[in-house]
Amino acid sequence: MIARRSAVLVTTVTLAVALSACTPAAAPTPTPSPTGFASKEEAFAAAEATYRAYIGALNNVDLADPATFEPLFSLTAGDLNDLDKKSFSQLHAAGSVVTGSTEVVSITPIDASDDEVRLSVCLDVSEVGLTDSQGNSLVEKDRPDLRAEIATVEREPSGKLKLVGIGDGPEGNQCVG
């Protein structure tokens, strides 16, 4: 699975729009039993909690302090984890600064199986800024305030949930409705 991270973060290396999130402090992530979820509702609730924890960790990132990246990395796996590590390392090395936070406007279940859950997410990134070391904005001038994404959460063999993909929403990157 190819992990895409378009618009959670605007970087000089073409990640998309901005750091974002809505939960100030992440709640503990529910861990399903190794045999799966009791219901689709349980799967969706656990996946939503994982995504919100990721956004909470993202909002707490200080690009000047790589130690603040670790809570974020612990919530991802696969290509998304690799992309996050590379991107945050590059932003740190470049002296970039992020301000503001993203709010989760809505999370809607798409589908779920024993090992994977997909969510449609609408984020408000209007308060998020990203600047280079000289204070120049790295945010695209025409970035919309709202950002639609599809988040994919997978269950590891241990039962722990990890975010493995973030991509454009069904209507591109625009929230609908």
Side-chain angles (χ1 to χ4, degrees):
M1 169 180 294
I2 295 179
R4 289 179 36 193
R5 175 112 193 227
S6 56
V8 171
L9 184 62
V10 175
T11 72
T12 56
V13 293
T14 67
L15 281 183
V17 178
L19 272 165
S20 51
C22 100
T23 2
T29 303
T31 302
S33 71
T35 57
F37 298 100
S39 66
K40 285 195 185 263
E41 291 75 21
E42 182 182 299
F44 290 133
E48 179 175 341
T50 300
Y51 183 80
R52 286 184 183 275
Y54 175 82
I55 295 299
L58 191 60
N59 277 340
N60 290 319
V61 163
D62 176 353
L63 294 175
D65 181 4
T68 65
F69 307 167
E70 293 305 319
L72 184 77
F73 300 156
S74 73
L75 294 166
T76 60
D79 291 341
L80 181 60
N81 185 266
D82 295 341
L83 181 60
D84 278 352
K85 286 180 177 180
K86 179 180 178 181
S87 300
F88 283 100
S89 177
Q90 289 174 335
L91 288 167
H92 169 71
S96 300
V97 176
V98 67
T99 58
S101 63
T102 298
E103 292 213 20
V104 176
V105 174
S106 65
I107 297 179
T108 306
I110 297 174
D111 53 46
S113 67
D114 285 344
D115 297 322
E116 182 179 283
V117 179
R118 291 183 332 125
L119 304 168
S120 176
V121 180
C122 180
L123 302 172
D124 180 342
V125 296
S126 62
E127 299 300 317
V128 178
L130 184 66
T131 58
D132 65 18
S133 62
Q134 306 302 308
N136 301 307
S137 179
L138 299 173
V139 177
E140 296 173 10
K141 293 190 185 316
D142 61 347
R143 176 189 74 185
D145 289 346
L146 298 177
R147 167 88 188 148
E149 297 181 340
I150 301 293
T152 303
V153 177
E154 288 184 357
R155 186 170 56 90
E156 295 184 322
S158 67
K160 185 167 174 66
L161 296 179
K162 298 276 185 141
L163 189 61
V164 297
I166 298 174
D168 286 342
E171 301 295 325
N173 65 357
Q174 297 295 313
C175 293
V176 182

